[in-house]
């Protein structure tokens, strides 16, 4: 891959998030991917940072090699060239609950410092301001993946909150407090429009470990709903390279299914 940096002008937020997320998959073997930005990220990673990555989708497709981007989780293109297609009970019961997923990709409407996620309601449960899609398979992914990456398009105090309006997918600390068992580390990376937050696992809270170029620490803190700690080895994320952008725009998503 070329090491020349792409020009800052013309890089969309989706492209930046996708590139950063794809790089974080280096060294991982199996990823449970959702449709949308996670699909872009795993596709790019398989062509760059993680060429041996095995991609698993909630519809039961394992080792996916689609000829072009799927538009839904049930898109037939996911099956073409796949290494296996499993029933959902087998996928969840043996693959996910069996501990065979290195990274689960999730999104959420709210997240707190411990990596607990809300994708159910904004406002009180009895009379919410907004009712969201809910868990789907997210709670299983959060509980059984070795670690979880979360991609958040919006980074502000309404999404990064001190207290969730509702806990859809608990992290390991909350699960342990409620008498549950913990398999993985829970959320270890949160990739946002401002930077990257990381945590190591149980009893560790999210810290700011990287900022994107042009973003200040104060800007991230002002847009986070708790007293955000800063990693001692804070870095600036490198800009997407010209080659990463070429792959995204010309080979992975030339029809702009997800790129904006």
């Amino acid at each position: 891959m070329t090491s020349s940096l792409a020009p800052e002008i013309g890089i969309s937020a989706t492209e930046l998030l996708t590139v950063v997320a794809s790089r974080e998959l280096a060294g991982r073997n199996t990823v449970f991917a959702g449709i949308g930005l996670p699909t872009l990220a795993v596709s790019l990673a398989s062509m760059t940072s993680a060429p041996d990555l095995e991609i698993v989708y909630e519809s039961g497709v394992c080792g996916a090699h689609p000829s072009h981007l799927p538009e839904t989780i049930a898109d037939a293109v996911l099956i073409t060239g796949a290494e296996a297609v499993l029933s959902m009970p087998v996928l969840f019961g043996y693959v996910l609950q069996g501990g065979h997923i290195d990274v689960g990709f999730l999104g959420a409407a709210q997240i707190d410092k411990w990596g607990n996620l809300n994708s159910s309601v904004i406002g009180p449960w009895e009379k919410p301001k907004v009712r969201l899609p809910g868990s789907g398979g997210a709670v299983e992914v959060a509980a059984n993946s070795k670690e979880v990456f979360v991609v958040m398009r919006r980074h502000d105090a309404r999404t990064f909150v001190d207290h969730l309006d509702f806990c859809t997918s608990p992290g390991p600390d909350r699960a342990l407090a409620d008498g549950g068992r913990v398999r993985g580390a829970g959320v270890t990376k949160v990739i946002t429009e401002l930077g990257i937050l990381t945590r190591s696992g149980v009893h560790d809270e999210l810290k700011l470990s990287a900022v994107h170029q042009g973003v200040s620490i104060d800007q991230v803190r002002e847009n986070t709903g708790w007293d955000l700690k800063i990693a001692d080895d804070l870095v600036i994320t490198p800009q997407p390279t010209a080659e990463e952008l070429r792959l995204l725009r010309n080979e992975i998503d030339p029809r702009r299914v997800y790129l904006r």
Side-chain angles (χ1 to χ4, degrees):
M1 179 189 299
T2 179
S3 61
S4 60
L5 292 179
E8 294 185 21
I9 297 175
I11 301 174
S12 71
T14 297
E15 289 170 338
L16 177 61
L17 290 171
T18 298
V19 169
V20 173
S22 73
R23 292 170 178 169
E24 295 297 327
L25 289 170
R28 273 68 174 192
N29 297 313
T30 309
V31 59
F32 198 104
I35 292 296
L37 197 150
T39 299
L40 288 175
V42 297
S43 298
L44 181 59
S46 68
M47 300 173 73
T48 55
S49 63
D52 297 322
L53 192 66
E54 180 179 357
I55 304 169
V56 179
Y57 285 95
E58 188 175 347
S59 51
V61 178
C62 298
H65 303 285
S67 59
H68 55 273
L69 281 180
E71 297 188 24
T72 70
I73 198 66
D75 196 326
V77 73
L78 283 173
I79 297 175
T80 304
E83 296 172 22
V85 181
L86 309 176
S87 68
M88 290 187 70
V90 171
L91 176 69
F92 279 83
Y94 292 96
V95 178
L96 190 56
Q97 294 179 14
H100 299 294
I101 300 297
D102 290 332
V103 176
F105 251 119
L106 294 177
Q110 290 181 331
I111 186 170
D112 66 15
K113 70 173 69 175
W114 305 110
N116 301 304
L117 305 176
N118 173 23
S119 57
S120 295
V121 296
I122 300 299
W125 174 261
E126 297 78 12
K127 194 175 181 180
K129 297 177 182 176
V130 179
R131 190 170 294 279
L132 302 165
S135 173
V139 66
E140 292 281 356
V141 174
N144 293 289
S145 300
K146 293 175 184 176
E147 59 180 323
V148 173
F149 291 0
V150 178
V151 180
M152 304 281 280
R153 291 182 180 272
R154 178 191 295 175
H155 190 145
D156 58 34
R158 293 176 295 177
T159 53
F160 287 75
V161 297
D162 194 32
H163 297 286
L164 300 177
D165 291 345
F166 182 87
C167 183
T168 309
S169 302
D173 293 87
R174 185 158 183 162
L176 287 170
D178 290 342
R181 293 183 295 174
V182 173
R183 177 185 297 279
V187 174
T188 58
K189 296 182 187 292
V190 184
I191 301 155
T192 84
E193 60 184 347
L194 300 180
I196 304 174
L197 281 66
T198 57
R199 57 185 293 277
S200 60
V202 180
H203 306 318
D204 190 26
E205 65 182 75
L206 287 166
K207 303 178 184 67
L208 182 65
S209 60
V211 292
H212 302 319
Q213 291 189 26
V215 176
S216 69
I217 293 174
D218 287 342
Q219 184 180 352
V220 182
R221 278 180 160 158
E222 288 168 3
N223 284 279
T224 303
W226 67 83
D227 185 13
L228 180 64
K229 296 181 179 178
I230 310 301
D232 293 335
D233 55 350
L234 180 76
V235 299
I236 298 175
T237 57
Q239 283 285 92
T241 65
E243 176 66 3
E244 287 168 325
L245 292 176
R246 186 194 69 79
L247 289 170
L248 270 178
R249 295 169 178 176
N250 299 341
E251 296 192 26
I252 296 173
D253 194 9
R255 296 181 299 151
R256 301 300 188 266
V257 175
Y258 300 116
L259 289 178
R260 298 289 186 266

